[in-house]
Amino acid sequence: MEKSNSEYEEEVVMVVDPETEFLLSKQESTGNEWELFKENVRPLKRGRKIAILNEALKSHSNNSLNKSLFHHRRKLIQEIDEYVGDDPLHPWLQCIKWVQEAFPSGGDSSGLVVIYEQCVRTFWHSDRYKDDLRYLKVWLEYAENCMDAEIVYSFLDTNKIGKTHSVYYISYALHMESKNKMKLANDIFNLGISRNALPVDTLKDAYREFLARSMRRPKANDDSTDKSLPLRSFGTVLSRGENRMQTTENSDLLSKNLKRDRALAAPLSIYKDSGVVDGSLHHQPDMVKTDVNCWQALGSRAERNKENNAIPTKWKTYKVPQRPGTRAGGSSACIEVFVDEECEEMQKKHVESGKSLDLQLRQWYGQDLKKETELLRENPLRNFPSNSLPR
Protein backbone atom coordinates (compact mmCIF):
# COMPACT_ATOMS: atom_id res chain seq x y z
CA MET A 1 0.00 0.00 0.00
CA GLU A 2 1.49 3.29 -1.09
CA LYS A 3 1.59 6.32 1.22
CA SER A 4 0.33 9.72 0.21
CA ASN A 5 2.56 12.78 -0.07
CA SER A 6 1.08 14.30 3.09
CA GLU A 7 2.07 11.25 5.12
CA TYR A 8 5.64 11.48 3.81
CA GLU A 9 5.75 15.16 4.78
CA GLU A 10 4.54 14.31 8.30
CA GLU A 11 7.35 11.81 8.70
CA VAL A 12 9.93 14.34 7.51
CA VAL A 13 8.71 16.95 9.97
CA MET A 14 8.45 14.61 12.92
CA VAL A 15 11.78 12.81 12.50
CA VAL A 16 14.59 15.37 12.90
CA ASP A 17 18.08 15.08 14.29
CA PRO A 18 18.89 16.55 17.74
CA GLU A 19 20.94 19.46 16.35
CA THR A 20 18.11 20.63 14.10
CA GLU A 21 15.66 20.29 16.95
CA PHE A 22 17.93 22.44 19.13
CA LEU A 23 18.23 25.14 16.47
CA LEU A 24 14.49 25.18 15.90
CA SER A 25 13.89 25.59 19.61
CA LYS A 26 16.20 28.62 19.72
CA GLN A 27 14.21 30.38 17.01
CA GLU A 28 11.23 30.59 19.34
CA SER A 29 12.93 33.26 21.52
CA THR A 30 13.62 31.01 24.49
CA GLY A 31 16.25 33.35 25.91
CA ASN A 32 19.28 31.65 24.32
CA GLU A 33 19.60 33.73 21.15
CA TRP A 34 23.31 34.22 21.79
CA GLU A 35 23.87 30.54 20.93
CA LEU A 36 22.87 31.25 17.32
CA PHE A 37 24.62 34.62 16.88
CA LYS A 38 27.59 34.46 19.23
CA GLU A 39 30.11 34.46 16.36
CA ASN A 40 28.76 37.88 15.30
CA VAL A 41 29.02 39.47 18.76
CA ARG A 42 31.97 41.78 19.32
CA PRO A 43 33.67 41.23 22.70
CA LEU A 44 33.83 44.07 25.20
CA LYS A 45 36.57 44.55 27.79
CA ARG A 46 33.99 44.99 30.53
CA GLY A 47 32.07 41.89 29.37
CA ARG A 48 28.41 41.49 28.46
CA LYS A 49 25.30 40.56 30.38
CA ILE A 50 23.51 37.55 28.89
CA ALA A 51 20.02 38.95 29.52
CA ILE A 52 20.77 42.23 27.73
CA LEU A 53 22.58 40.41 24.95
CA ASN A 54 19.64 38.04 24.33
CA GLU A 55 17.22 40.95 24.30
CA ALA A 56 19.37 42.85 21.78
CA LEU A 57 19.70 39.83 19.48
CA LYS A 58 15.97 39.22 19.72
CA SER A 59 15.32 42.84 18.73
CA HIS A 60 17.44 42.52 15.59
CA SER A 61 15.41 39.50 14.42
CA ASN A 62 12.08 41.28 15.01
CA ASN A 63 11.18 44.29 12.87
CA SER A 64 8.97 45.96 15.47
CA LEU A 65 11.60 45.56 18.20
CA ASN A 66 14.28 46.74 15.80
CA LYS A 67 12.44 50.03 15.30
CA SER A 68 12.31 50.48 19.05
CA LEU A 69 16.14 50.32 19.14
CA PHE A 70 16.52 53.25 16.77
CA HIS A 71 13.79 55.14 18.64
CA HIS A 72 15.62 54.67 21.95
CA ARG A 73 18.93 55.72 20.36
CA ARG A 74 17.29 58.90 19.09
CA LYS A 75 15.96 59.54 22.59
CA LEU A 76 19.45 59.20 24.11
CA ILE A 77 20.87 61.58 21.50
CA GLN A 78 18.16 64.08 22.32
CA GLU A 79 19.09 63.83 25.99
CA ILE A 80 22.66 64.76 25.04
CA ASP A 81 21.41 67.88 23.28
CA GLU A 82 19.18 68.87 26.20
CA TYR A 83 21.66 68.15 29.00
CA VAL A 84 22.21 71.09 31.39
CA GLY A 85 24.18 69.40 34.22
CA ASP A 86 27.71 69.83 35.49
CA ASP A 87 29.22 66.90 33.53
CA PRO A 88 28.32 67.13 29.81
CA LEU A 89 30.46 64.08 29.05
CA HIS A 90 28.26 61.78 31.15
CA PRO A 91 25.29 61.52 28.70
CA TRP A 92 27.72 60.77 25.89
CA LEU A 93 29.16 57.85 27.85
CA GLN A 94 25.67 56.54 28.60
CA CYS A 95 24.75 56.70 24.92
CA ILE A 96 27.96 54.95 23.84
CA LYS A 97 27.50 52.20 26.42
CA TRP A 98 23.90 51.60 25.36
CA VAL A 99 24.80 51.44 21.65
CA GLN A 100 27.53 48.90 22.40
CA GLU A 101 25.01 46.73 24.25
CA ALA A 102 22.09 47.20 21.83
CA PHE A 103 24.17 46.56 18.67
CA PRO A 104 26.40 43.59 19.61
CA SER A 105 27.82 43.16 16.11
CA GLY A 106 28.90 46.81 16.02
CA GLY A 107 27.99 47.27 12.36
CA ASP A 108 27.88 50.51 10.41
CA SER A 109 24.14 50.86 10.99
CA SER A 110 24.72 51.23 14.73
CA GLY A 111 26.30 54.67 14.21
CA LEU A 112 28.85 53.93 16.94
CA VAL A 113 31.84 55.28 15.01
CA VAL A 114 29.97 58.50 14.23
CA ILE A 115 29.03 58.90 17.91
CA TYR A 116 32.66 58.31 18.90
CA GLU A 117 33.81 61.01 16.50
CA GLN A 118 31.14 63.47 17.62
CA CYS A 119 32.01 62.91 21.27
CA VAL A 120 35.77 63.38 20.96
CA ARG A 121 35.35 66.38 18.64
CA THR A 122 33.01 68.08 21.10
CA PHE A 123 35.50 68.11 24.00
CA TRP A 124 38.95 68.05 22.35
CA HIS A 125 39.51 71.77 23.13
CA SER A 126 38.25 71.58 26.73
CA ASP A 127 40.99 71.72 29.37
CA ARG A 128 38.62 70.07 31.82
CA TYR A 129 38.60 66.74 29.98
CA LYS A 130 42.20 66.61 28.69
CA ASP A 131 43.23 64.48 31.68
CA ASP A 132 39.88 62.74 32.18
CA LEU A 133 40.33 58.97 31.95
CA ARG A 134 36.77 58.47 30.69
CA TYR A 135 37.35 60.84 27.78
CA LEU A 136 40.68 59.19 26.97
CA LYS A 137 39.03 55.76 26.80
CA VAL A 138 36.54 57.09 24.26
CA TRP A 139 39.50 58.21 22.13
CA LEU A 140 41.15 54.79 22.44
CA GLU A 141 37.95 52.98 21.50
CA TYR A 142 37.60 55.30 18.53
CA ALA A 143 41.17 54.51 17.48
CA GLU A 144 40.44 50.77 17.58
CA ASN A 145 37.71 51.28 14.97
CA CYS A 146 40.03 53.12 12.53
CA MET A 147 42.21 51.61 9.84
CA ASP A 148 45.36 53.33 11.10
CA ALA A 149 45.23 54.51 14.71
CA GLU A 150 48.65 56.18 14.56
CA ILE A 151 47.17 59.49 13.44
CA VAL A 152 44.80 59.42 16.42
CA TYR A 153 47.66 58.85 18.88
CA SER A 154 49.65 61.63 17.23
CA PHE A 155 46.66 63.95 17.62
CA LEU A 156 46.43 63.13 21.33
CA ASP A 157 50.13 63.80 21.77
CA THR A 158 49.96 67.11 19.89
CA ASN A 159 46.99 68.38 21.92
CA LYS A 160 48.27 66.91 25.23
CA ILE A 161 45.24 64.71 25.83
CA GLY A 162 45.61 61.86 28.32
CA LYS A 163 49.36 62.36 28.86
CA THR A 164 49.05 61.63 32.61
CA HIS A 165 47.52 58.15 32.14
CA SER A 166 49.57 55.05 31.47
CA VAL A 167 46.85 53.44 29.35
CA TYR A 168 47.59 55.99 26.62
CA TYR A 169 51.29 55.09 26.40
CA ILE A 170 50.57 51.36 26.62
CA SER A 171 48.02 51.47 23.81
CA TYR A 172 50.23 53.71 21.67
CA ALA A 173 53.31 51.54 22.18
CA LEU A 174 51.45 48.30 21.49
CA HIS A 175 50.09 49.77 18.28
CA MET A 176 53.62 50.70 17.18
CA GLU A 177 54.80 47.20 18.11
CA SER A 178 52.06 45.68 15.96
CA LYS A 179 53.46 47.70 13.05
CA ASN A 180 56.97 46.42 13.91
CA LYS A 181 58.21 49.89 14.87
CA MET A 182 60.08 48.67 17.90
CA LYS A 183 62.27 51.74 18.42
CA LEU A 184 59.26 54.07 18.48
CA ALA A 185 57.42 51.75 20.85
CA ASN A 186 60.42 51.73 23.21
CA ASP A 187 60.60 55.55 23.09
CA ILE A 188 56.89 55.83 23.90
CA PHE A 189 57.27 53.59 26.96
CA ASN A 190 60.23 55.63 28.16
CA LEU A 191 58.30 58.86 27.60
CA GLY A 192 55.41 57.62 29.73
CA ILE A 193 57.75 56.49 32.52
CA SER A 194 59.59 59.84 32.49
CA ARG A 195 56.25 61.65 32.82
CA ASN A 196 55.21 59.39 35.73
CA ALA A 197 51.99 58.41 34.03
CA LEU A 198 49.56 56.78 36.44
CA PRO A 199 49.50 54.01 37.43
CA VAL A 200 53.28 53.79 37.06
CA ASP A 201 53.49 50.14 38.12
CA THR A 202 51.13 49.08 35.33
CA LEU A 203 53.20 50.99 32.79
CA LYS A 204 56.48 49.46 34.03
CA ASP A 205 55.02 45.96 33.96
CA ALA A 206 53.87 46.48 30.39
CA TYR A 207 57.32 47.83 29.49
CA ARG A 208 59.04 44.75 30.96
CA GLU A 209 56.74 42.48 28.96
CA PHE A 210 57.55 44.51 25.86
CA LEU A 211 61.28 44.10 26.44
CA ALA A 212 60.85 40.36 26.92
CA ARG A 213 58.98 40.11 23.63
CA SER A 214 61.54 42.24 21.82
CA MET A 215 64.39 40.00 23.03
CA ARG A 216 62.67 36.95 21.53
CA ARG A 217 62.22 38.64 18.18
CA PRO A 218 64.70 38.08 15.34
CA LYS A 219 67.17 40.93 14.99
CA ALA A 220 66.70 43.19 11.98
CA ASN A 221 68.82 45.89 10.38
CA ASP A 222 68.50 49.39 11.79
CA ASP A 223 67.45 50.97 8.50
CA SER A 224 64.67 48.44 7.90
CA THR A 225 63.23 48.34 11.42
CA ASP A 226 60.55 50.94 10.91
CA LYS A 227 59.58 49.88 7.41
CA SER A 228 59.38 46.11 7.78
CA LEU A 229 56.12 44.23 7.76
CA PRO A 230 53.81 44.16 10.81
CA LEU A 231 53.73 41.01 12.86
CA ARG A 232 50.55 38.96 12.50
CA SER A 233 49.41 35.71 14.01
CA PHE A 234 47.95 32.95 11.87
CA GLY A 235 44.40 33.67 10.75
CA THR A 236 44.43 37.47 11.10
CA VAL A 237 43.22 39.56 8.18
CA LEU A 238 44.82 42.81 7.11
CA SER A 239 42.58 45.77 6.34
CA ARG A 240 42.69 47.36 2.92
CA GLY A 241 44.95 50.18 4.10
CA GLU A 242 47.42 47.79 5.74
CA ASN A 243 47.38 45.47 2.74
CA ARG A 244 48.21 48.36 0.44
CA MET A 245 50.95 49.47 2.84
CA GLN A 246 52.39 45.95 2.90
CA THR A 247 52.66 45.89 -0.92
CA THR A 248 54.46 49.24 -1.08
CA GLU A 249 56.81 48.30 1.77
CA ASN A 250 57.70 45.04 -0.01
CA SER A 251 58.60 46.92 -3.20
CA ASP A 252 60.61 49.56 -1.28
CA LEU A 253 62.57 46.90 0.60
CA LEU A 254 63.30 44.99 -2.63
CA SER A 255 64.49 48.11 -4.46
CA LYS A 256 66.71 49.05 -1.50
CA ASN A 257 68.36 45.62 -1.52
CA LEU A 258 68.95 45.84 -5.28
CA LYS A 259 70.60 49.25 -4.95
CA ARG A 260 72.82 47.93 -2.18
CA ASP A 261 73.91 44.94 -4.32
CA ARG A 262 74.69 47.22 -7.26
CA ALA A 263 76.79 49.50 -5.06
CA LEU A 264 78.88 46.58 -3.79
CA ALA A 265 79.43 45.16 -7.28
CA ALA A 266 82.47 46.18 -9.41
CA PRO A 267 81.92 49.03 -11.93
CA LEU A 268 81.31 48.00 -15.55
CA SER A 269 83.79 49.12 -18.22
CA ILE A 270 82.24 50.40 -21.46
CA TYR A 271 83.92 49.15 -24.65
CA LYS A 272 84.64 51.75 -27.34
CA ASP A 273 85.43 50.69 -30.91
CA SER A 274 87.48 53.51 -32.37
CA GLY A 275 87.52 51.91 -35.81
CA VAL A 276 83.78 51.90 -36.11
CA VAL A 277 83.58 55.55 -35.05
CA ASP A 278 86.23 56.60 -37.56
CA GLY A 279 84.60 54.49 -40.25
CA SER A 280 81.25 56.06 -39.65
CA LEU A 281 82.73 59.50 -40.07
CA HIS A 282 84.58 58.33 -43.20
CA HIS A 283 81.39 57.02 -44.82
CA GLN A 284 79.46 60.27 -44.25
CA PRO A 285 81.51 63.03 -45.95
CA ASP A 286 78.51 64.56 -47.71
CA MET A 287 76.63 65.17 -44.46
CA VAL A 288 79.63 66.96 -42.96
CA LYS A 289 79.99 69.17 -46.03
CA THR A 290 76.33 70.17 -46.00
CA ASP A 291 76.51 70.99 -42.31
CA VAL A 292 79.53 73.22 -42.88
CA ASN A 293 78.00 74.96 -45.90
CA CYS A 294 74.78 75.85 -44.06
CA TRP A 295 76.74 78.08 -41.60
CA GLN A 296 78.64 80.04 -44.22
CA ALA A 297 75.76 82.52 -44.86
CA LEU A 298 74.84 84.26 -41.58
CA GLY A 299 72.97 87.19 -43.10
CA SER A 300 73.70 90.88 -42.81
CA ARG A 301 74.25 92.68 -39.50
CA ALA A 302 70.89 94.48 -39.77
CA GLU A 303 69.05 91.17 -40.16
CA ARG A 304 70.79 89.71 -37.14
CA ASN A 305 70.03 92.73 -34.91
CA LYS A 306 66.47 93.41 -36.06
CA GLU A 307 64.98 92.60 -32.61
CA ASN A 308 67.15 95.27 -30.96
CA ASN A 309 66.09 98.23 -33.09
CA ALA A 310 63.64 99.71 -30.55
CA ILE A 311 65.22 102.02 -27.97
CA PRO A 312 63.77 101.64 -24.46
CA THR A 313 62.22 104.77 -22.95
CA LYS A 314 60.38 105.69 -19.75
CA TRP A 315 56.67 104.84 -19.45
CA LYS A 316 55.03 108.29 -19.17
CA THR A 317 51.85 107.99 -21.19
CA TYR A 318 49.65 106.10 -18.62
CA LYS A 319 48.87 106.91 -15.00
CA VAL A 320 47.46 104.43 -12.50
CA PRO A 321 44.24 105.87 -10.99
CA GLN A 322 44.38 106.35 -7.19
CA ARG A 323 41.48 106.13 -4.75
CA PRO A 324 40.50 109.46 -3.20
CA GLY A 325 41.16 109.93 0.52
CA THR A 326 44.07 110.05 2.90
CA ARG A 327 46.18 107.08 3.88
CA ALA A 328 46.21 105.96 7.50
CA GLY A 329 49.55 106.11 9.23
CA GLY A 330 51.23 108.05 6.43
CA SER A 331 52.68 104.93 4.74
CA SER A 332 50.31 102.20 3.52
CA ALA A 333 46.92 100.92 4.63
CA CYS A 334 46.76 97.71 6.68
CA ILE A 335 45.83 94.59 4.76
CA GLU A 336 42.72 92.95 6.14
CA VAL A 337 43.13 89.23 6.79
CA PHE A 338 40.43 87.12 5.16
CA VAL A 339 38.37 85.00 7.56
CA ASP A 340 36.07 82.27 6.31
CA GLU A 341 32.78 82.96 8.07
CA GLU A 342 31.51 79.42 7.58
CA CYS A 343 34.57 77.85 9.26
CA GLU A 344 34.49 80.44 12.03
CA GLU A 345 30.84 79.73 12.81
CA MET A 346 31.48 75.99 12.77
CA GLN A 347 34.39 76.33 15.21
CA LYS A 348 32.32 78.54 17.54
CA LYS A 349 29.54 76.00 17.46
CA HIS A 350 31.91 73.23 18.58
CA VAL A 351 33.45 75.43 21.26
CA GLU A 352 30.13 76.51 22.77
CA SER A 353 28.35 73.15 22.78
CA GLY A 354 28.10 69.86 20.96
CA LYS A 355 24.42 70.09 20.04
CA SER A 356 24.78 69.08 16.40
CA LEU A 357 24.79 65.29 16.90
CA ASP A 358 21.02 64.81 16.69
CA LEU A 359 20.76 66.77 13.45
CA GLN A 360 23.68 64.99 11.80
CA LEU A 361 22.48 61.52 12.78
CA ARG A 362 19.07 62.37 11.34
CA GLN A 363 20.73 63.37 8.10
CA TRP A 364 22.99 60.30 8.06
CA TYR A 365 20.56 57.45 7.88
CA GLY A 366 20.93 54.12 6.16
CA GLN A 367 23.45 54.26 3.34
CA ASP A 368 24.57 57.78 4.27
CA LEU A 369 25.42 56.64 7.80
CA LYS A 370 27.42 53.70 6.45
CA LYS A 371 29.29 55.98 4.03
CA GLU A 372 30.16 58.44 6.78
CA THR A 373 31.34 55.57 8.99
CA GLU A 374 33.60 54.29 6.22
CA LEU A 375 35.06 57.77 5.65
CA LEU A 376 35.77 58.20 9.35
CA ARG A 377 37.51 54.83 9.50
CA GLU A 378 39.79 55.89 6.65
CA ASN A 379 40.38 59.42 7.99
CA PRO A 380 39.30 59.74 11.64
CA LEU A 381 40.23 63.45 11.82
CA ARG A 382 38.49 64.57 8.64
CA ASN A 383 36.07 66.90 10.50
CA PHE A 384 38.64 68.48 12.83
CA PRO A 385 40.03 72.00 12.24
CA SER A 386 43.36 72.09 10.47
CA ASN A 387 45.15 73.94 13.28
CA SER A 388 44.56 71.01 15.66
CA LEU A 389 46.02 68.30 13.41
CA PRO A 390 49.53 66.90 14.03
CA ARG A 391 52.22 68.29 11.74
Side-chain angles (χ1 to χ4, degrees):
M1 181 178 179
E2 296 182 357
K3 296 181 181 180
S4 61
N5 293 333
S6 61
E7 293 178 353
Y8 278 116
E9 292 177 357
E10 288 181 0
E11 289 185 359
V12 172
V13 174
M14 294 298 294
V15 180
V16 292
D17 56 286
E19 183 179 359
T20 305
E21 184 179 359
F22 174 78
L23 294 176
L24 291 175
S25 64
K26 301 311 172 189
Q27 294 179 355
E28 298 175 358
S29 300
T30 58
N32 294 321
E33 284 77 8
W34 66 276
E35 285 288 352
L36 297 176
F37 304 100
K38 58 185 177 182
E39 67 275 4
N40 296 326
V41 176
R42 296 188 62 182
L44 296 177
K45 292 182 180 179
R46 64 174 181 270
R48 292 183 182 272
K49 295 181 179 180
I50 296 299
I52 300 177
L53 180 60
N54 287 331
E55 190 67 24
L57 295 175
K58 188 192 304 182
S59 301
H60 286 285
S61 61
N62 193 329
N63 292 330
S64 60
L65 295 177
N66 194 13
K67 292 180 180 179
S68 65
L69 288 178
F70 292 99
H71 177 72
H72 188 68
R73 186 184 66 179
R74 190 178 298 110
K75 183 179 178 181
L76 290 175
I77 293 170
Q78 187 176 359
E79 291 178 359
I80 295 175
D81 297 337
E82 298 175 354
Y83 184 78
V84 291
D86 298 332
D87 188 11
L89 180 62
H90 179 72
W92 286 94
L93 300 177
Q94 295 296 322
C95 181
I96 291 174
K97 183 178 180 180
W98 181 86
V99 172
Q100 290 176 343
E101 296 286 352
F103 296 88
S105 59
D108 297 342
S109 60
S110 64
L112 185 59
V113 176
V114 178
I115 297 175
Y116 278 143
E117 194 268 343
Q118 288 284 321
C119 178
V120 297
R121 185 155 52 94
T122 302
F123 302 105
W124 73 270
H125 58 276
S126 176
D127 295 334
R128 174 183 177 182
Y129 293 109
K130 284 185 180 295
D131 292 329
D132 196 315
L133 182 59
R134 302 172 302 164
Y135 180 61
L136 176 61
K137 288 183 177 180
V138 177
W139 268 109
L140 299 181
E141 291 177 4
Y142 181 44
E144 291 177 357
N145 288 271
C146 302
M147 291 184 178
D148 188 8
E150 186 173 357
I151 186 175
V152 175
Y153 293 115
S154 300
F155 179 88
L156 296 177
D157 183 52
T158 302
N159 295 275
K160 300 179 180 180
I161 298 175
K163 65 178 182 179
T164 60
H165 298 286
S166 61
V167 64
Y168 163 68
Y169 301 98
I170 294 174
S171 300
Y172 194 1
L174 292 180
H175 178 72
M176 292 295 101
E177 183 185 2
S178 66
K179 300 178 70 174
N180 204 19
K181 297 182 178 181
M182 306 300 294
K183 186 178 182 301
L184 287 177
N186 185 75
D187 294 341
I188 292 169
F189 273 119
N190 290 327
L191 178 62
I193 295 174
S194 64
R195 291 178 177 177
N196 293 323
L198 300 176
V200 181
D201 295 336
T202 304
L203 181 59
K204 291 182 178 180
D205 292 341
Y207 184 45
R208 282 193 290 268
E209 294 176 359
F210 165 75
L211 293 178
R213 290 193 301 269
S214 61
M215 293 297 292
R216 293 194 298 265
R217 294 167 62 92
K219 293 184 179 180
N221 295 330
D222 295 336
D223 55 352
S224 63
T225 302
D226 293 338
K227 295 185 178 180
S228 57
L229 299 179
L231 291 181
R232 297 188 296 123
S233 60
F234 179 77
T236 55
V237 180
L238 285 176
S239 60
R240 288 180 293 177
E242 293 178 349
N243 195 8
R244 196 182 302 113
M245 188 185 303
Q246 178 180 355
T247 305
T248 55
E249 289 174 352
N250 268 332
S251 60
D252 294 341
L253 189 60
L254 181 60
S255 61
K256 183 181 295 185
N257 293 333
L258 290 176
K259 290 180 181 179
R260 187 183 305 166
D261 295 340
R262 291 175 181 176
L264 295 176
L268 297 176
S269 59
I270 302 175
Y271 174 75
K272 294 182 180 180
D273 192 352
S274 59
V276 174
V277 176
D278 298 338
S280 61
L281 294 176
H282 180 73
H283 290 295
Q284 297 178 353
D286 297 335
M287 184 179 297
V288 175
K289 289 181 179 180
T290 55
D291 293 341
V292 173
N293 292 331
C294 67
W295 286 99
Q296 291 179 355
L298 299 178
S300 62
R301 184 180 182 86
E303 293 178 353
R304 295 197 301 271
N305 296 335
K306 60 183 178 181
E307 67 274 8
N308 297 326
N309 292 334
I311 300 175
T313 58
K314 293 184 178 180
W315 193 12
K316 300 179 180 179
T317 58
Y318 184 77
K319 293 183 179 181
V320 179
Q322 302 290 332
R323 290 184 179 180
T326 59
R327 294 183 179 180
S331 58
S332 61
C334 297
I335 300 175
E336 184 179 359
V337 179
F338 174 74
V339 178
D340 194 345
E341 297 179 357
E342 183 179 356
C343 295
E344 188 178 14
E345 292 177 358
M346 185 180 300
Q347 187 171 0
K348 287 182 179 179
K349 185 182 297 183
H350 293 312
V351 170
E352 292 174 357
S353 63
K355 296 186 178 181
S356 61
L357 176 64
D358 189 22
L359 177 61
Q360 293 191 11
L361 278 183
R362 287 175 183 174
Q363 294 175 353
W364 297 328
Y365 184 78
Q367 296 296 329
D368 295 335
L369 183 61
K370 293 181 179 179
K371 183 178 180 181
E372 180 65 19
T373 301
E374 187 67 24
L375 291 175
L376 289 175
R377 283 175 175 168
E378 294 178 356
N379 185 10
L381 304 179
R382 61 187 300 268
N383 295 325
F384 279 76
S386 58
N387 58 354
S388 65
L389 301 180
R391 300 184 183 277

